[in-house]
Amino acid sequence: MKFKKLTALLMGVVMTASLLTGCGGSGDDSTSAPAQTDETTDAAQDSEDGDSASTEEAKTEYSDDEIIDFTCFVAMPGSEINDGNEVQEIIAKKTGVRVKETWLTGQTDAEAIGTIIAGGEYPDFINGGEAMKALYDAGALVAWDEYIEKYPNIKEMYSDEEWDKFRMDDGHIYWANVFQNKYGEDKTTTHNDEAFWVQVRVLEWAGYPEIKTLDQYFQLLEDYAAANPTMEDGTENIPYTILCEDWRYFCIENAPQFLDGYPNDGSVIVDVDNMKVVDYNTTDTAVKYFQKLNEEYNKGIVDPEFATQTYDEYIAKLSTGRVLGMCDQWWDFAYTVNDVFKQQGLDAKGCNYVPFGLTIEEGMENQWHSYGDTLNNSSGIAVTTSCSDVDAAFKFLSDCLDQEIHDLRFWGVEGVDYEVDENGLYYRTDEMRANAADTEYKASHLCSYSYFPQWLGTSKDGKNAMTPGEQPSEFMSGLAEPLVNCFNAYGVTTYVEMLGSAKVEVGPWYPMYSFSNAMTTETPGGVAWTKMGEIKHEWLPKVVMASDFQSTWEEYMSVYESADPQAFLDEMQEELERRAAAAQ
């Protein structure tokens, strides 16, 4: 739908919304208002005839002078939406709150939060990434405890036991992670986490081979690049690239844990047979993995610019469609890159990525995908002490989980961004899918409030998925033909099935990164963890680019040991035992 057609249609939506009940309620049977002016007229006539609810009950909109404008800073890169964004304005009229979001630019999360703390003035909401502890230590955050009890939507996000995991040393809760929570039935279609990714055009060319190991993966890239050095337009293909910038160096650093068949504990392996933490940086598999990267670099398969490229440069490179494969988290690239592919027609040329759950040797089970909810209590959304109206802020966090508001955030406006069939199931037309991928359209029209509380899984109507990407019919309808052909060739229907990860119930300690992410230099283990990170940032690219791998690896290991990694491992072991004991 063209932008100029939206205004009149949305005016009808807003007018209709003012005549519907249920602002901020449980949302169990709320639906987005239909954008039909004749229905608006009928509703108004009913009101005049006295057949509708009372004036008090019917008042569901906030006037402009009643709407509170809040600010929010997210210590992650993101795209700001336009002032006057249409869905944001609908949400504002229904909740009484409008939030101006700003995002990380040109700094690390720690640098940005440090600057904010030094200034002493905070936005109303903040997500400090892995620097939340610094905000807590600065006394910048409002405790959630009384508001969790006051607002059932917030309380419903976690069990009492899970909420307790967010408690700080003073006994209070100051933030909540908003991701990976499922309501009702699990409808996961996308592997939102880490994997080795490869473009479907590569798999189609090779006849959709079985790829189980790291060696098989790189052989595939080598063979394709040799036969297809360029794209159709002459652009040179890049067989494999690596992101090393700042905290995103997980793209190079933590694959050995997965290659050994373990899940994403992030900072250590947990050997469940012996209940011991293991340093995946020094295992035999780590040596084999980095030696393989070194071999591929010296063959010209690994992007020669990988060590110095920024995140923005990396995303721009992927967006051209010329990168055949990489190791990364889906959320780190796909939400931007896939939209560009759709806009440029690159998805129709097979440039979309699918994941493989590689292991270091064939025959091993992999755990790249974890099937249950993952609770990362080290970061999340928080309300600050500078907030102009704390209760209104928490009410808005609650309203974000109201089904009507949730639908507006992730589906958009009925009749504009999605339709409803005779069975009550949501779907989009091709034009609506194209709009949802269009940068200009999203900036002016859509408002997901993506770092505010949200659900995955099943809508409270018991029929629909909370997000379009998890709606089975919508998921399949939105796939380009080469991707559908790939799924069919492998006998799967989702990205998760492509991985073939073992369905292993993770222990109560999982994920261990929720502890290491919150470490500070106040303990020997925290000091070691900081030094280990600095050393890996410097040395892992050197190891990959080395002319003599063995001598460079030995030099790296010598420097690595100087960080006293055992102090870190000892504290991780203590935390592992504490978590295991607490669950008994």
Side-chain angles (χ1 to χ4, degrees), residues 87 187 199:
V87 170
K187 289 184 173 287
Q199 290 183 324

Side-chain angles (χ1 to χ4, degrees), residues 115-177:
T115 300
I116 292 172
I117 291 173
E121 290 292 328
Y122 304 95
D124 299 285
F125 297 102
I126 195 164
N127 186 317
E130 302 308 333
M132 296 300 295
K133 179 67 160 51
L135 289 163
Y136 165 74
D137 289 339
L141 306 180
V142 174
W144 283 51
D145 305 62
E146 67 176 281
Y147 301 100
I148 293 172
E149 296 303 320
K150 182 174 182 178
Y151 294 107
N153 281 353
I154 296 177
K155 186 176 179 63
E156 190 177 28
M157 290 174 64
Y158 295 105
S159 67
D160 289 344
E161 180 183 1
E162 288 171 329
W163 274 117
D164 284 342
K165 293 181 179 180
F166 286 97
R167 294 193 185 280
M168 301 302 291
D169 51 18
D170 68 353
H172 294 293
I173 297 166
Y174 291 90
W175 61 79
N177 198 304

Side-chain angles (χ1 to χ4, degrees), residues 89-365:
E89 290 305 307
I90 294 172
I91 292 173
K93 289 184 180 298
K94 289 178 177 294
T95 65
V97 168
R98 182 189 299 112
V99 182
K100 176 67 174 177
E101 298 167 297
T102 55
W103 306 84
L104 189 68
T105 54
Q107 293 178 297
T108 67
D109 53 2
E111 290 169 344
I113 296 304
T115 300
I116 292 172
I117 291 173
E121 290 292 328
Y122 304 95
D124 299 285
F125 297 102
I126 195 164
N127 186 317
E130 302 308 333
M132 296 300 295
K133 179 67 160 51
L135 289 163
Y136 165 74
D137 289 339
L141 306 180
V142 174
W144 283 51
D145 305 62
E146 67 176 281
Y147 301 100
I148 293 172
E149 296 303 320
K150 182 174 182 178
Y151 294 107
N153 281 353
I154 296 177
K155 186 176 179 63
E156 190 177 28
M157 290 174 64
Y158 295 105
S159 67
D160 289 344
E161 180 183 1
E162 288 171 329
W163 274 117
D164 284 342
K165 293 181 179 180
F166 286 97
R167 294 193 185 280
M168 301 302 291
D169 51 18
D170 68 353
H172 294 293
I173 297 166
Y174 291 90
W175 61 79
N177 198 304
V178 303
F179 302 114
Q180 301 299 315
N181 282 344
K182 296 184 181 69
Y183 190 93
E185 179 186 354
D186 185 351
K187 289 184 173 287
T188 303
T189 55
T190 300
H191 174 65
N192 200 44
D193 303 313
E194 193 163 353
F196 280 93
W197 302 86
V198 66
Q199 290 183 324
V200 295
R201 64 180 171 131
V202 178
L203 298 169
E204 180 183 10
W205 172 85
Y208 303 108
E210 290 295 324
I211 304 296
K212 300 292 187 183
T213 68
L214 192 67
D215 287 340
Q216 292 168 354
Y217 176 81
F218 276 106
Q219 189 62 56
L220 172 68
L221 297 183
E222 286 184 40
D223 292 346
Y224 182 88
N228 305 273
T230 67
M231 300 178 71
E232 291 179 359
D233 63 0
T235 302
E236 185 178 358
N237 284 320
I238 299 173
Y240 188 83
T241 195
I242 312 170
L243 180 60
C244 301
E245 188 188 31
D246 193 32
W247 57 272
R248 286 185 172 88
Y249 84 123
F250 59 74
C251 295
I252 188 175
E253 180 263 353
N254 68 1
Q257 67 180 329
F258 295 111
L259 292 170
D260 265 333
Y262 291 95
N264 189 21
D265 270 301
S267 51
V268 292
I269 285 171
V270 174
D271 179 352
V272 295
D273 293 332
N274 302 303
M275 285 306 294
K276 296 291 184 182
V277 298
V278 175
D279 186 355
Y280 61 69
N281 298 287
T282 59
T283 61
D284 290 344
T285 294
V287 177
K288 293 176 183 176
Y289 165 65
F290 285 106
Q291 187 166 20
K292 188 64 179 178
L293 291 182
N294 174 261
E295 290 172 0
E296 298 299 330
Y297 179 81
N298 286 310
K299 289 179 182 179
I301 297 302
V302 175
D303 180 5
E305 299 174 345
F306 85 90
T308 57
Q309 66 184 343
T310 65
Y311 175 69
D312 288 344
E313 290 168 342
Y314 168 79
I315 291 297
K317 194 174 293 181
L318 263 59
S319 297
T320 65
R322 61 194 293 235
V323 177
L324 307 182
M326 70 285 177
C327 183
D328 198 353
Q329 302 260 357
W330 171 270
W331 53 259
D332 196 39
F333 73 92
Y335 297 109
T336 299
V337 171
N338 286 357
D339 284 350
V340 176
F341 285 170
K342 288 181 180 179
Q343 293 171 42
Q344 298 183 354
L346 291 170
D347 57 343
K349 296 181 179 181
C351 290
N352 284 120
Y353 295 97
V354 292
F356 279 102
L358 305 184
T359 54
I360 200 63
E361 295 178 1
E362 198 160 358
M364 299 171 62
E365 288 188 336

